[in-house]
Amino acid sequence: MTIKGVLFDFSGTLFRAEPTTSWLRAVLEDADLTLPERELTEAAGALETVGAMPGSGAAPRLPEGSEELWRRRDESAERHRAMFTAISRQVRLPDPRLHDALYDRHMLPAAWGPYPDAAEVLGTLRERGVAVGVVSNIGWDLRPVFREHGLDPYVGAYVLSYEHGIQKPDARLFATACDALGVAPEDTLMVGDDRRADGGAAALGCAVHFVDHLPTAQRPDGLRPVLDLVG
């Protein structure tokens, strides 16, 4: 099998979201609000427990009656915001407007950091003439994150669920990405951290490789095996 294209997931694969404490602290500072450190830590812990940060990989605690919204959350920007602000609102914060501010913060490039080997791996794939795409279940435009962190030049196509009204593991999203790169599914490798969502590429005929969704410091070289798989 000759790999001519590699599709990457975003969160937990190429990038990792900032820690919940940093997320909350930044929003409080922007709002000119302060909390005693103990209260800030407790509030951040509560947000983490309910899975309020999109892309964190945490299992969510869903508000009653939101199961259908959760199932289809990545099909539109409106659903995505509604779902995650509803999850966040289960935690009491000093100002209710902070829940929307937290959602806004998580879309900023500053809220994300690439895994240590991401640039090396993407750059090497480009040098080898391998097409690269990003396929993400998401409710907002992640392109500015890639531009800010210098990874955009390596990406030939972005296929984002909210822009197509389709979310992984639906094979149509992977098919769209393959078409955008001009690569046949059987010549494509999908790399992700979610065995259900990213594993959906296998139904299309893509090879699939999984990485662990870990903090960046704990996964310095988790993407490098992709280079061996591509050859």
Side-chain angles (χ1 to χ4, degrees):
M1 179 180 183
T2 300
I3 299 297
K4 298 178 181 178
V6 180
L7 304 176
F8 289 93
D9 174 50
F10 168 56
S11 177
T13 300
L14 290 175
F15 281 83
R16 170 81 179 198
E18 67 185 326
T20 311
T21 301
S22 302
W23 182 45
L24 178 57
R25 191 188 304 278
V27 167
L28 289 170
E29 288 176 355
D30 286 345
D32 291 323
L33 294 172
T34 58
L35 283 177
E37 194 64 24
R38 180 181 60 80
E39 292 182 20
L40 188 152
T41 301
E42 289 176 352
L47 289 167
E48 190 164 341
T49 296
V50 299
M53 175 179 270
S56 67
R61 179 192 298 166
L62 299 181
E64 186 176 352
S66 65
E67 291 78 9
E68 178 62 15
L69 179 59
W70 173 257
R71 189 179 68 82
R72 302 182 61 191
R73 67 194 180 280
D74 297 315
E75 293 179 4
S76 74
E78 295 75 19
R79 287 193 185 109
H80 196 268
R81 176 182 281 273
M83 185 71 263
F84 281 99
T85 52
I87 292 172
S88 174
R89 288 190 183 99
Q90 296 175 105
V91 177
R92 177 175 291 184
L93 296 175
D95 186 323
R97 292 173 294 183
L98 290 173
H99 298 289
D100 275 307
L102 283 168
Y103 188 87
D104 292 338
R105 163 74 186 181
H106 106 277
M107 296 187 287
L108 298 179
W112 296 89
Y115 280 92
D117 56 347
E120 173 196 345
V121 170
L122 295 182
T124 301
L125 290 173
R126 181 173 181 176
E127 290 171 1
R128 295 181 183 178
V130 178
V132 171
V134 172
V135 185
S136 178
N137 278 354
I138 199 165
W140 50 276
D141 186 3
L142 51 70
R143 295 172 183 88
V145 176
F146 281 76
R147 289 196 292 267
E148 180 69 21
H149 292 281
L151 300 188
D152 179 65
Y154 306 125
V155 180
Y158 296 92
V159 177
L160 312 180
S161 61
Y162 84 101
E163 293 181 338
H164 297 273
I166 305 167
Q167 59 189 33
K168 299 181 288 186
D170 193 318
R172 291 177 294 170
L173 203 64
F174 302 107
T176 299
C178 290
D179 289 345
L181 292 181
V183 179
E186 58 267 25
D187 298 326
T188 302
L189 173 67
M190 176 67 206
V191 181
D193 68 300
D194 188 320
R195 279 162 172 73
R196 177 180 177 274
D198 300 313
L204 193 66
C206 301
V208 181
H209 175 71
F210 296 109
V211 295
D212 294 322
H213 190 146
L214 296 170
T216 53
Q218 296 178 28
R219 212 195 77 192
D221 54 6
L223 291 168
R224 290 198 180 116
V226 171
L227 300 178
D228 295 329
L229 291 170
V230 171

